[in-house]
């Protein structure tokens, strides 16, 4: 089940069949989707297998399916994994957990689910999150609409019938009027472009294809890990106490800050539950849909003592407070950012015993928060342990992976029992490139985006009619479940309207795409994050075609994003080319 650029290494392919669940399951749990089905497309979609096909059974696909079922449509989810969960199905590496507060990073649409589900930790670990997703699926009775172990290879718009035809890896085909892509933004693991990856004879895993129970096999072993992003940080701090020896191969250090996770007591959970309306209201009003809100103070003009006092206060809080509740100029003004980075540098130095190791852990090529800031729990202290070694591969790169481990440029050999690739993803467009999307007159999505992403609202693409992207490029990322809920809601409202009006064709226009793409670029101007290489700016140095920065996401405020989408709806979707029934 390894995919895309993760193909081709013996080690990684060992993780095939991460989960033993197979096939299509139904269950008899009563759903909460008891609304009366509305009239269907009638005979308009006769001859098509479905009204709507959805690719992916993560949060985006699950909510899409729920809304389609509410509309009484014939819909189906096709999912590559052997069970639902998406990101939280695949990413089982040790220590994987939310770094947003559990109670803000979930579905808000069902009061019944909010009433019944209890979180046990402020930042839910992956197994609990996966259980939550399974609970949601059961509760909404959606499994009967999901087909697992079905990897879509080709998605083709058929002009003669204004419909989509999907082909899976077993050459089975599926047709529908509308297509919803729910394929995630971090779903295609990439291995490093280092020679010899397939030569290694020990155990090797990409973190996104971690085998179930794999952490137990690490006890006492010599483990090497390549990467120091959010995934690596969670893995490193979790496995360091149990492994025999851990070597961390770091190319670029990242700024991080303490997560400060804690258990949630029953009483606290009741308080959180009572707070849900307020939590979701705060998310809806904030810039990127998180519960933490920043200010507009002038960082540089604020007296140093006052600044430090405020930052110390934030540093002591949970979660993204120290990333999001700061002054917004830290993300736009180099001087303000340098002051805040210096604050965090002091924190790192205070926690790492060896000043030379601390030097290596402090980023020098980007400021705090200009890449997606991972949160940590004891990460820096790991480097004070005797069984942990940090190797700087920026100045002394890995020359090759060998049969027994790896060799750095200075000809040092590192013998390893287990090699962990925490080397990230072909992000955002990678999930789309893994499927051969073909639109009008055979145009390929890959080609359309090869010179830069172009979308309308991050939801649609010209030449790809009737296709809606949940968490597509140019959409709000931020607090992802909040963004998913909005994108699904908008799409469901469109499809409901199309059904009521007999609309069988909907395509973005050149003008709409040009204006939206320009707006996305405009919103990104002045943000320091867009001056830095990261998956958020579309850079993946392991991929030849991703060496240059691109505008992958909507950088404006979430309320502004939603306003624009609502305007399109209120104009009766006139921004699209619309056709009814059998119109050519
Ligand atoms: P990532 O941020 O892209 O990090 C990949 C790491 O691998 C980087 O340190 C990178 O170094 C290194 N690397 C890649 N190729 C390499 C090579 N050829 N040689 C040496 N080093 C190499 O990926 P990630 O850590 O999986 O995180 C991706 C995103 O997933 C996060 O930013 C976050 O949004 C999400 N995530 C969320 C959570 C959470 O919420 N709890 C947890 C994990 C991940 P360079 O920086 O030098 O390229």
């Amino acid at each position: 089940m390894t995919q895309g650029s993760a193909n081709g290494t013996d080690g990684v392919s060992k993780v095939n069949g991460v989960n033993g669940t197979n096939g299509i399951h139904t269950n008899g749990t009563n759903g909460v989707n008891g609304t009366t089905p509305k009239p269907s497309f009638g005979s308009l979609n006769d001859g098509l297998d479905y009204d709507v096909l959805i690719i992916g059974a993560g949060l985006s696909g699950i909510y899409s399916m729920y809304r389609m079922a509410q509309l009484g449509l014939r819909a189906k989810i096709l999912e590559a994994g052997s069970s639902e969960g998406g990101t939280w199905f695949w990413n089982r590496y040790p220590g994987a957990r939310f770094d947003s507060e559990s109670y803000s990073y979930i579905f808000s649409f069902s009061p019944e689910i909010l009433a019944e589900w209890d979180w046990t930790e402020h930042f839910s670990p992956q197994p609990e999150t996966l259980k939550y997703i399974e609970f949601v699926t059961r509760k909404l009775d959606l499994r009967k609409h999901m087909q697992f172990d079905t990897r879509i290879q080709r998605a083709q718009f058929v002009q003669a019938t204004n419909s989509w035809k999907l082909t899976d890896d077993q050459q089975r085909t599926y047709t529908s009027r509308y297509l919803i892509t729910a394929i995630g933004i971090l779903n295609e693991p990439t291995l490093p472009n280092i020679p010899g990856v397939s030569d290694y004879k020990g155990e090797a895993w990409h973190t996104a294809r971690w085998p179930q129970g794999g952490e137990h096999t690490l006890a006492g072993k010599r483990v090497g890990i390549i990467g120091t992003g959010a995934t690596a940080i969670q893995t490193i701090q979790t496995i360091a106490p149990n492994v025999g020896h851990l070597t961390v191969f770091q190319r670029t250090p990242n700024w991080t800050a303490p997560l400060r996770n804690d258990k949630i007591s029953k009483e606290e959970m009741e308080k959180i539950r009572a707070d849900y309306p307020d939590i979701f209201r705060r998310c809806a009003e904030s810039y990127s849909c998180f519960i933490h809100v920043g200010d507009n103070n002038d960082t540089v003009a604020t007296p140093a003592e006052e600044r430090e006092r405020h930052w110390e206060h934030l540093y002591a809080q949970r979660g993204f407070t120290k990333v999001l509740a700061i002054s917004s100029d830290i993300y736009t003004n180099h001087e303000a950012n340098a002051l805040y980075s210096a604050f965090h540098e002091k924190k790192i130095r205070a926690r790492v015993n060896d000043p030379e190791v601390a030097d290596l852990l402090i980023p020098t090529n980007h400021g705090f928060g200009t890449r997606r800031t991972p949160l940590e729990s004891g990460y820096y202290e790991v480097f004070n342990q005797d069984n942990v070694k940090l190797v700087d591969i920026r100045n002394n790169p890995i020359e090759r992976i060998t049969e027994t481990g790896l060799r750095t440029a200075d000809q040092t050999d590192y013998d390893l029992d287990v090699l962990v690739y925490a080397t990230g993803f072909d992000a955002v467009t990678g999930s789309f490139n893994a499927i051969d999307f073909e639109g009008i007159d055979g145009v390929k999505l890959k080609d359309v985006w090869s010179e830069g992403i172009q979308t309308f609202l991050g939801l649609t693409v010209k030449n790809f009619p009737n296709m809606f992207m949940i968490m597509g490029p140019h959409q709000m990322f931020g607090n992802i479940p909040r963004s998913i809920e909005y994108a699904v809601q908008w799409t469901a409202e469109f499809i409901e309207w199309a059904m009521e009006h007999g609309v069988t064709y909907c395509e973005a226009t050149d003008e709409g795409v040009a204006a939206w793409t320009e707006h996305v670029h405009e919103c990104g101007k002045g943000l320091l994050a867009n001056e830095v290489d990261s998956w958020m700016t579309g850079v993946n140095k392991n991929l030849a075609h991703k060496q240059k920065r691109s505008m992958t996401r909507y950088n404006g405020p979430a309320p502004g994003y939603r306003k624009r989408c609502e305007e399109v709806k209120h104009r009766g979707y006139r921004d699209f080319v619309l056709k009814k029934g059998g119109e050519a």
Side-chain angles (χ1 to χ4, degrees):
M1 202 67 54
T2 45
Q3 50 179 324
S5 46
N7 272 333
T9 48
D10 288 333
V12 172
S13 62
K14 281 182 189 149
V15 303
N16 281 353
V18 168
N19 181 311
T21 331
N22 271 319
I24 308 160
H25 294 247
T26 54
N27 79 44
T29 324
N30 283 335
V32 295
N33 50 343
T35 34
T36 317
K38 302 196 169 168
S40 72
F41 277 97
S43 60
L44 284 178
N45 293 346
D46 281 359
L48 299 175
D49 300 334
Y50 297 96
D51 298 316
V52 182
L53 280 167
I54 301 163
I55 312 178
L59 289 182
S60 298
I62 288 170
Y63 187 39
S64 298
M65 186 60 239
Y66 172 64
R67 293 292 285 115
M68 295 307 112
Q70 270 192 323
L71 293 173
L73 293 173
R74 297 176 303 141
K76 181 101 180 166
I77 292 183
L78 303 170
E79 161 61 49
S82 55
S83 196
E84 71 269 40
T87 287
W88 301 101
F89 169 82
W90 292 107
N91 286 272
R92 294 161 185 260
Y93 61 86
R97 66 170 66 243
F98 285 167
D99 53 14
S100 297
E101 287 75 2
S102 312
Y103 31 88
S104 72
Y105 211 65
I106 45 147
F107 286 136
S108 69
F109 66 84
S110 164
E112 205 173 333
I113 290 171
L114 293 172
E116 288 181 29
W117 180 263
D118 288 354
W119 296 102
T120 65
E121 296 186 46
H122 282 271
F123 302 92
S124 169
Q126 178 269 340
E128 179 163 324
T129 303
L130 192 56
K131 274 197 199 114
Y132 163 77
I133 295 172
E134 288 162 357
F135 169 77
V136 170
T137 309
R138 257 197 328 276
K139 188 80 198 158
L140 303 178
D141 197 14
L142 296 180
R143 256 198 156 213
K144 63 188 178 199
H145 302 296
M146 297 177 179
Q147 180 175 315
F148 299 115
D149 299 307
T150 303
R151 185 171 292 282
I152 298 304
Q153 289 185 326
R154 186 160 189 237
Q156 184 191 14
F157 185 72
V158 182
Q159 279 161 264
T161 49
N162 287 340
S163 63
W164 280 94
K165 179 179 167 195
L166 307 191
T167 309
D168 71 15
D169 52 0
Q170 295 164 61
Q171 300 313 303
R172 293 173 297 192
T173 58
Y174 314 81
T175 57
S176 66
R177 177 70 65 203
Y178 288 99
L179 172 63
I180 296 180
T181 65
I183 52 186
I185 54 173
L186 294 158
N187 203 27
E188 288 297 312
T190 41
L191 291 170
N193 55 350
I194 301 172
V197 166
S198 54
D199 294 344
Y200 181 62
K201 298 274 189 264
E203 289 177 288
W205 304 314
H206 190 287
T207 43
R209 296 294 178 268
W210 198 272
Q212 209 158 20
E215 69 270 32
H216 304 302
T217 68
L218 298 181
K221 292 194 175 159
R222 297 165 303 170
V223 178
I225 180 163
I226 303 177
T228 47
T231 300
I233 286 170
Q234 290 186 332
T235 308
I236 290 165
Q237 67 199 13
T238 307
I239 65 174
N242 305 321
V243 299
H245 190 273
L246 178 63
T247 314
V248 176
F249 298 95
Q250 173 188 267
R251 186 164 65 183
T252 313
N254 277 299
W255 295 102
T256 76
L259 178 70
R260 305 201 191 287
N261 186 28
D262 219 339
K263 298 277 180 212
I264 298 178
S265 67
K266 283 268 171 212
E267 299 71 49
E268 205 176 355
M269 188 59 228
E270 287 318 313
K271 277 199 201 126
I272 290 168
R273 211 184 315 279
D275 265 357
Y276 271 139
D278 195 45
I279 289 170
F280 295 126
R281 180 193 54 75
R282 279 156 60 201
C283 289
E285 289 172 1
S286 77
Y287 196 96
S288 43
C289 301
F290 290 98
I291 52 177
H292 309 289
V293 179
D295 61 59
N296 290 320
N297 294 340
D298 182 335
T299 299
V300 179
T302 306
E305 243 179 63
E306 192 182 316
R307 222 166 35 212
E308 292 272 319
R309 212 173 29 247
H310 179 52
W311 290 344
E312 285 292 352
H313 169 74
L314 298 181
Y315 192 79
Q317 310 292 311
R318 282 199 187 102
F320 280 129
T321 324
K322 43 266 177 203
V323 179
L324 297 167
I326 53 177
S327 305
S328 56
D329 63 359
I330 287 173
Y331 292 125
T332 53
N333 175 321
H334 281 282
E335 201 181 341
N337 186 278
L339 288 168
Y340 196 50
S341 300
F343 170 82
H344 284 276
E345 177 177 337
K346 264 194 301 182
K347 292 290 182 198
I348 298 170
R349 292 200 184 283
R351 291 172 59 185
V352 178
N353 296 343
D354 182 338
E356 284 181 19
V357 175
D359 278 346
L360 287 179
L361 289 167
I362 293 163
T364 52
N365 68 353
H366 66 284
F368 186 93
T370 58
R371 294 172 121 199
R372 200 286 205 171
T373 313
L375 297 183
E376 51 83 27
S377 307
Y379 176 64
Y380 291 110
E381 287 73 10
V382 159
F383 296 96
N384 299 333
Q385 285 181 215
D386 291 338
N387 68 335
V388 177
K389 183 177 169 64
L390 180 64
V391 175
D392 170 22
I393 53 167
R394 174 162 293 262
N395 295 310
N396 180 27
I398 300 171
E399 188 179 272
R400 67 172 302 112
I401 311 287
T402 63
E403 287 192 5
T404 55
L406 55 83
R407 179 176 305 151
T408 46
D410 64 356
Q411 300 304 298
T412 306
D413 281 309
Y414 294 86
D415 284 341
L416 304 165
D417 302 313
V418 180
L419 180 52
V420 178
Y421 294 107
T423 43
F425 301 86
D426 181 359
V428 189
T429 49
S431 313
F432 288 89
N433 289 342
I435 296 171
D436 180 15
F437 281 98
E438 192 179 292
I440 290 181
D441 292 339
V443 65
K444 303 278 185 183
L445 187 57
K446 218 182 227 175
D447 296 335
V448 173
W449 286 348
S450 65
E451 292 302 315
I453 298 160
Q454 298 178 49
T455 75
F456 181 53
L457 306 177
L459 288 158
T460 60
V461 186
K462 159 98 171 136
N463 278 319
F464 294 80
N466 297 1
M467 178 177 104
F468 297 93
M469 305 178 292
I470 309 302
M471 297 314 297
H474 285 182
Q475 231 166 84
M476 267 300 303
F477 294 167
N479 178 336
I480 299 225
R482 302 277 67 73
S483 302
I484 289 173
E485 278 191 347
Y486 182 73
V488 171
Q489 188 62 25
W490 191 95
T491 301
E493 283 172 4
F494 174 83
I495 292 177
E496 183 176 19
W497 178 89
M499 185 165 66
E500 284 164 5
H501 292 80
V503 169
T504 50
Y505 183 97
C506 147
E507 188 194 358
T509 63
D510 280 327
E511 302 75 47
V513 168
W516 179 255
T517 303
E518 192 190 329
H519 175 61
V520 169
H521 283 253
E522 203 52 42
C523 290
K525 280 194 182 146
L527 281 181
L528 301 183
N530 289 330
E531 298 173 9
V532 171
D533 289 350
S534 75
W535 71 261
M536 288 220 174
T537 52
V539 177
N540 183 325
K541 298 199 175 80
N542 295 309
L543 301 170
H545 66 286
K546 281 207 158 180
Q547 305 285 328
K548 278 196 285 180
R549 283 178 213 147
S550 61
M551 197 61 78
T552 61
R553 64 192 165 129
Y554 176 81
N555 290 282
Y561 174 77
R562 292 192 296 265
K563 183 165 175 282
R564 288 206 170 222
C565 294
E566 290 304 296
E567 284 166 0
V568 171
K569 180 172 87 187
H570 294 311
R571 281 197 288 270
Y573 306 101
R574 285 202 303 274
D575 302 61
F576 291 96
V577 174
L578 301 168
K579 292 179 195 169
K580 289 189 179 195
E583 284 176 26

